[in-house]
Structures are given as structure tokens and as C-alpha cells.
Amino acid sequence: MENVLNYKITENLKREIETCGKTKTEIANAIGVSKSTVSQYLSGRSLPTLATLSRLCNFIDCSADDILEIKLK
């Protein structure tokens, strides 16, 4: 179950990052991580902490709800 969730988060991150028009370097500099860390997020080798996810979402102008697939009832 955890692997499925990690896969979904990774795929959602990839989609949002690819459509935002920013480079990995720009994103890394803005959120305070290395370019290789952003690459790890995109490959699924690691996931951002909630604090980093918040900075990332603010920078690329997307909702963490969409990345985490949080649905309100």
C-alpha cells in the first residue's frame, strides 16, 4: 500500500513539475534543496518532507491536495 501511495505522489509531482515551466535548478534554488534532490523526487527515490512540499507547491503554484490526492468529502 505504501509503495502505491509513493508511486502516486511521485507521478503527481512529475506532472506538476513538468507543466510548471520551471527548471529543476530553479525549483531546487527556490525550495532550498539540491538539483539532485529534485531529481530524486521525480524518480521516486525519495519524497519531499511536508515543509519542502509546501515550499515546492507555493513555488510552482499547485495544490498539495492534488499531489497528495487529498479529497474532501
Side-chain angles (χ1 to χ4, degrees):
M1 178 73 169
E2 183 178 331
N3 287 339
V4 171
L5 182 59
N6 287 352
Y7 175 79
K8 287 182 178 183
I9 291 170
T10 298
E11 289 303 304
N12 294 338
L13 273 171
K14 277 198 274 194
R15 180 191 68 240
E16 294 296 336
I17 288 173
E18 288 171 359
T19 60
C20 78
K22 310 268 191 227
T23 66
K24 291 179 197 173
T25 301
E26 289 172 319
I27 293 168
N29 290 337
I31 67 173
V33 299
S34 68
K35 181 180 170 186
S36 65
T37 298
V38 174
S39 293
Q40 288 178 5
Y41 298 159
L42 295 174
S43 70
R45 285 178 288 184
S46 68
L47 294 174
T49 64
L50 290 177
T52 303
L53 179 62
S54 176
R55 290 191 303 272
L56 175 62
C57 289
N58 285 331
F59 182 68
I60 66 172
D61 194 30
C62 75
S63 169
D65 292 351
D66 292 338
I67 291 175
L68 299 174
E69 294 192 2
I70 295 172
K71 310 228 185 312
L72 300 176
K73 294 182 180 188

